[in-house]
Amino acid sequence: MNTILAQKSKISNIDFDNLNFGEIFTDHMFVCDFINGKWSTPEILPYQSIQLDPSTSVFHYGQAVFEGMKAYKDDEDRVWLFRPDQNFERINKSSKRLSIPEFPKEYFFEGLEKLLAIDKDWIRKGVGNSLYIRPFVFASQAGVQATASNAYKFIIICSPVASYYASGDVYVQVAEKYSRAASGGVGYAKAAGNYAAQFYPTSLALKEGYQQIIWTDANNHEFLEEAGTMNIFFRINDNLITTPISDRILDGVTRKSILKIAEYSGIKTEVRPLSIDELISSKKEGSLKEIFGAGTAVVVSPIKGFGYQNKKYTLDDVDESFASLLKEKIVNIQYNIAEDPFDWRYEVKTTLE
Ligand SMILES: *Cc1c(COP(=O)(O)O)cnc(C)c1O
C-alpha cells in the first residue's frame, strides 16, 4: 500500500466535546481505483478533495453504495471494530446489485487497519465516543453514456463522534403514500439513492411534527418495514418483534446483533411481518410497550409515538425497557467492557510496521 502522510495533523484544532455528527474528518483517507478491469494498488493519502469531470457517471446515474461502521477505544487504548466482516460482505452485496465490481477483502481490511493505526488518536475513550467509518464506492468514469461505468473509486473516510444524548421524544409518521423500497428493487442495498429518495417525504413528515417515517410495504402500505434509516423493533407484551429480511429491507448489523443478544438474554423474539392494524390494536389494548429503531449510528433509538391517518398515538414510559437493556449489552461488547460470547469484537493492530 502506498502511503503519504499529512504534513501536519488537524487534531489540535478539534473540539471533541462539541462535535456535530459527520462534519469533521480525520487526517487521512484510503483510496483505491478500479481501472482497466481491476482494482489498482490502494493508497493512504492526506484527507483531501477529489477532482472529477462534470460528466462523471455517478453525478448522472447515481451508481454509488456505502457502509457505516465504527471503531471504539477501551480503557487500555486498544481499538476495536464490531463485526467488520459483516460490513465488508454487505458493501459487496450492495455493489453487486448496482453493477459495481466487488472489492477485495485483503485491501479492505489492510486499508482500514492501516488507516485506523495512523489516525488512532482521533478515537477517544469513553462510552459513546467513537470514530465513524464511512467506506464508499462510486462510478468515476467521465461520460454520460447510460451504462455501468468502467472506472470506480473506493474510498474510506473517518469522522470522530462524541457521545450523543437524544434531546426530546421521537415521533414517527407511518408512510401512507411514499415508499422507501419496492420488491425487486435496491432496498436491501446501501445505495446512495435510497437516501436521496427519503429526504423529500421526510421533510413533509417533519412539517407535521414527526422526526422520521416508518416505511411500509410499497404494495398496500400495510406492513411496517423500517424506521427512517434504521431497522425497526416492537415490543408487544414481553415479545420482541422485528420484520424479516427481504429485498426491501436493509440487513442491519445492529438488527441481527440485537436479535441474538435478546435470545441469549432470555427475551422471546419473533421475526415476522407486523401490520399497522396490529400496531394500532396492540396500542389500544395496552400490550404495545415499545418501538425502537436500530442502527450503527445510535445503536438503539427509542420511539415515543407514531402518527397514522391524522391521529397521533403516544406510548407510555416503561421501566426497564428492552431498548436500554439491549443497547447497554451491545455497547459493553463494543467497548470491551463485557464478555463477547459471540466473538463479534475485532481488535485493530495499531502499531505501524
Ligand atoms: C444502514 C441501514 C440500517 C442499519 O444497519 P446497521 O448495519 O445496523 O448500521 C438500517 N436500515 C437502513 C435503510 C440502512 O441504510
Side-chain angles (χ1 to χ4, degrees):
M1 200 170 340
N2 303 325
T3 303
I4 301 174
L5 294 179
Q7 296 203 324
K8 192 175 178 303
S9 175
K10 297 172 289 195
I11 200 164
S12 58
N13 304 328
I14 309 300
D15 179 0
F16 278 87
D17 296 322
N18 290 295
L19 295 168
N20 290 324
F21 180 81
E23 282 184 4
I24 304 278
F25 294 90
T26 63
D27 292 321
H28 298 90
M29 63 198 233
F30 170 88
V31 184
C32 186
D33 281 295
F34 185 89
I35 27 175
N36 300 326
K38 66 178 181 51
W39 291 103
S40 49
T41 305
E43 297 180 287
I44 288 182
L45 301 174
Y47 189 93
Q48 59 191 275
S49 301
I50 44 183
Q51 205 176 11
L52 294 167
D53 191 278
S55 72
T56 300
S57 184
V58 67
F59 298 138
H60 305 273
Y61 306 120
Q63 213 189 349
V65 301
F66 67 95
E67 266 306 318
M69 53 203 293
K70 280 178 168 179
Y72 311 91
K73 198 175 257 180
D74 70 16
D75 285 341
E76 290 159 17
D77 286 323
R78 292 159 80 187
V79 174
W80 303 90
L81 295 167
F82 183 71
R83 309 187 75 176
D85 50 313
Q86 298 285 322
N87 300 94
F88 171 73
E89 283 166 24
R90 193 169 64 190
I91 200 165
N92 278 344
K93 207 170 137 190
S94 299
S95 287
K96 192 168 180 191
R97 179 64 183 81
L98 275 286
S99 210
I100 296 170
E102 292 175 38
F103 197 64
K105 188 168 187 174
E106 28 342 320
Y107 284 10
F108 181 81
F109 279 94
E110 280 169 26
L112 181 56
E113 290 204 62
K114 182 138 194 221
L115 186 61
L116 292 174
I118 294 172
D119 282 343
K120 63 176 180 291
D121 291 347
W122 291 79
I123 315 171
R124 306 275 294 226
K125 280 192 265 206
V127 168
N129 296 325
S130 62
L131 190 69
Y132 183 78
I133 301 165
R134 169 55 61 89
F136 61 107
V137 208
F138 64 90
S140 55
Q141 189 187 325
V144 295
Q145 304 86 349
T147 53
S149 171
N150 288 323
Y152 297 88
K153 263 187 193 299
F154 189 109
I155 299 179
I156 305 177
I157 53 177
C158 301
S159 174
V161 290
S163 59
Y164 153 94
Y165 298 97
S167 53
D169 291 331
V170 174
Y171 281 83
V172 294
Q173 187 175 52
V174 177
E176 294 171 53
K177 174 178 177 189
Y178 294 100
S179 303
R180 191 192 84 86
S183 298
V186 296
Y188 70 91
K190 257 180 136 62
N194 286 347
Y195 280 66
Q198 291 196 32
F199 296 153
Y200 176 64
T202 305
S203 74
L204 298 180
L206 268 172
K207 280 189 198 141
E208 295 183 42
Y210 298 96
Q211 284 78 39
Q212 274 299 348
I213 293 181
I214 297 190
W215 298 104
T216 50
D217 67 283
N219 296 336
N220 304 310
H221 298 290
E222 191 184 346
F223 292 98
L224 305 160
E225 299 205 322
E226 294 217 49
T229 56
M230 290 184 279
N231 293 116
I232 194 161
F233 283 86
F234 306 91
R235 173 183 175 184
I236 295 182
N237 291 316
D238 282 334
N239 291 357
L240 186 66
I241 304 165
T242 193
T243 310
I245 291 307
S246 72
D247 61 0
R248 299 187 307 273
I249 309 284
L250 201 290
D251 185 5
V253 180
T254 317
R255 173 189 174 279
K256 65 175 91 171
S257 305
I258 284 180
L259 279 174
K260 272 262 187 296
I261 289 181
E263 282 157 19
Y264 188 79
S265 313
I267 293 172
K268 195 160 170 285
T269 60
E270 295 175 26
V271 177
R272 63 167 176 88
L274 190 114
S275 67
I276 181 69
D277 287 349
E278 183 179 353
L279 186 75
I280 288 170
S281 62
S282 64
K283 167 67 189 134
K284 285 186 175 151
E285 72 186 22
S287 55
L288 178 66
K289 301 277 166 55
E290 292 176 58
I291 309 174
F292 56 88
T296 296
V298 291
V299 188
V300 158
S301 170
I303 291 168
K304 182 65 186 164
F306 61 93
Y308 182 63
Q309 292 184 340
N310 296 318
K311 264 187 114 154
K312 202 164 184 172
Y313 300 82
T314 298
L315 304 191
D316 297 329
D317 288 329
V318 283
D319 296 334
E320 301 182 2
S321 72
F322 282 0
S324 52
L325 176 106
L326 293 164
K327 177 169 183 168
E328 188 179 326
K329 285 187 187 263
I330 291 205
V331 163
N332 286 349
I333 293 177
Q334 289 170 335
Y335 287 83
N336 192 26
I337 293 168
E339 290 210 353
D340 176 16
F342 314 100
D343 220 3
W344 286 338
R345 267 196 303 261
Y346 177 100
E347 185 165 10
V348 178
K349 290 188 294 305
T350 50
T351 43
L352 289 165
E353 274 126 42

